[in-house]
Amino acid sequence: MNGALTAPPPGGATAAGALAGKAALITGAARGIGRACALAYAGAGADLLLTDIGHDLDGVPYPLGSAGQLAHTARLCQELSPASVVATAEADIRELDAVRAVVDGALDRFGRLDILLNNAGIAAPSGKTVHDISPDEWDLMLDVDVSGAWRMIRAVGAAMTGQRAGSVINVASTAGLVGYRHFAGYVTAKHALIGLTKSAALDFAPFGVRVNALCPGSVRDDDAAEGRMLTEIARSLDVPVAEHEETFLAAQPMNRLIEPEDVAGAAVWLGSDASRQVTGSTVTVDGGFTSR
């Protein structure tokens, strides 16, 4: 494995102690942005329940986060922050009973839940014009990327409103803000996730619970994070994998791809008390892509 994912250096939003005393549940934590966020949360002092599906799904043309990758994320977090409690659970966010079990497990272990980071999602099946998308492909995309987040929010809602505090962070995408050719299902799902964010923020505001959306741009597939989403998006667009970074880089105003740690830093800030007056917002980490 090349490179090493670490928490960002002290002094920023992810400085040690920014999440001390907080308990966080992170979905899609096995790899990629989820792993980067888990490490940043551990470095900031949070206790963690990390979850991922642990197996592949019919209809998704690439491997999903495995049980081994989830366990590896947990080990990295524990090594980074020995004082943190780090637990894992495999769950399919399409199944309400599984979601409830994960949330109940977190509440039993920590006594409270301060942060829900809804990171789990799929980018494919994609790469088709809208009229070529099958009903099953459409339903799968929405079930995972929108309804999965709703199920998690539904499951934590009573606990967070009861404790009158909490932060829900929905990882959307620049696809939630603009359109992309041949990605109608993904774009629809991410736009819907931002709509869910805004409505849930209003519902929860009287109880001191915040809900925000985090919109990454083109995130580099870091080897240490074992991310592969940008590669799979390139495949679905028939972009040569060997050239995919240069292809996506051409659309970046800052002439850099987003690093997983860039997204993780924003996720820590949204989970911390430093953002206590931020709710119903859409935070972009896209190097200026959506400013054009």
Side-chain angles (χ1 to χ4, degrees):
M1 187 177 295
N2 297 324
L5 266 179
T6 59
T14 56
L19 300 180
K22 294 187 183 295
L25 195 167
I26 301 177
T27 71
R31 64 184 186 193
I33 290 173
R35 178 178 291 177
C37 289
L39 281 164
Y41 274 37
D47 292 325
L48 298 169
L49 179 57
L50 309 176
T51 184
D52 213 306
I53 190 170
H55 60 80
D56 296 340
L57 280 181
D58 291 339
V60 179
Y62 59 86
L64 298 182
S66 69
Q69 288 172 321
L70 182 62
H72 184 58
T73 299
R75 286 193 296 270
L76 292 173
C77 290
Q78 199 70 81
E79 291 169 3
L80 181 63
S81 181
S84 294
V85 176
V86 182
T88 63
E90 294 177 38
D92 185 340
I93 59 172
R94 297 175 303 162
E95 299 174 3
L96 187 56
D97 287 346
V99 166
R100 286 176 177 151
V102 167
V103 171
D104 288 347
L107 292 170
D108 288 345
R109 182 177 291 269
F110 303 129
R112 60 184 290 119
L113 261 180
D114 301 287
I115 304 166
L116 167 63
L117 180 60
N118 269 324
N119 172 68
I122 56 175
S126 291
K128 298 181 178 181
T129 55
V130 64
H131 64 279
D132 289 327
I133 301 170
S134 74
D136 287 345
E137 289 171 333
W138 183 265
D139 290 345
L140 177 61
M141 182 67 72
L142 296 182
D143 199 12
V144 175
D145 286 12
V146 183
S147 297
W150 166 75
R151 291 183 190 97
M152 294 299 308
I153 295 170
R154 185 179 189 274
V156 304
M160 286 189 172
T161 55
Q163 67 197 24
R164 304 191 76 81
S167 175
V168 176
I169 304 159
N170 294 321
V171 179
S173 165
T174 53
L177 302 170
V178 299
Y180 287 98
R181 182 177 295 167
H182 296 161
F183 277 81
Y186 187 68
V187 167
T188 298
K190 293 303 185 179
H191 272 71
L193 185 57
I194 290 175
L196 172 62
T197 298
K198 292 180 180 295
S199 290
L202 293 176
D203 285 351
F204 285 161
F207 303 96
V209 178
R210 302 181 294 111
V211 188
N212 293 287
L214 182 54
C215 292
S218 296
V219 179
R220 187 175 66 85
D221 288 342
D222 182 89
D223 287 344
E226 299 186 80
R228 59 182 301 155
M229 184 166 285
L230 202 62
T231 299
E232 295 305 329
I233 290 173
R235 288 186 196 278
S236 68
L237 295 174
D238 292 326
V239 173
V241 172
E243 303 170 10
H244 82 281
E245 287 196 1
E246 290 77 9
T247 300
F248 288 107
L249 192 63
Q252 295 299 117
M254 293 187 72
N255 200 36
R256 293 181 57 189
L257 293 177
I258 311 303
E259 298 294 334
E261 293 91 341
D262 297 330
V263 183
V268 171
W269 178 71
L270 286 172
S272 75
D273 293 340
S275 62
R276 61 185 175 272
Q277 287 289 1
V278 180
T279 193
S281 294
T282 302
V283 178
T284 57
V285 184
D286 67 352
F289 176 82
T290 52
S291 297
R292 297 177 303 167

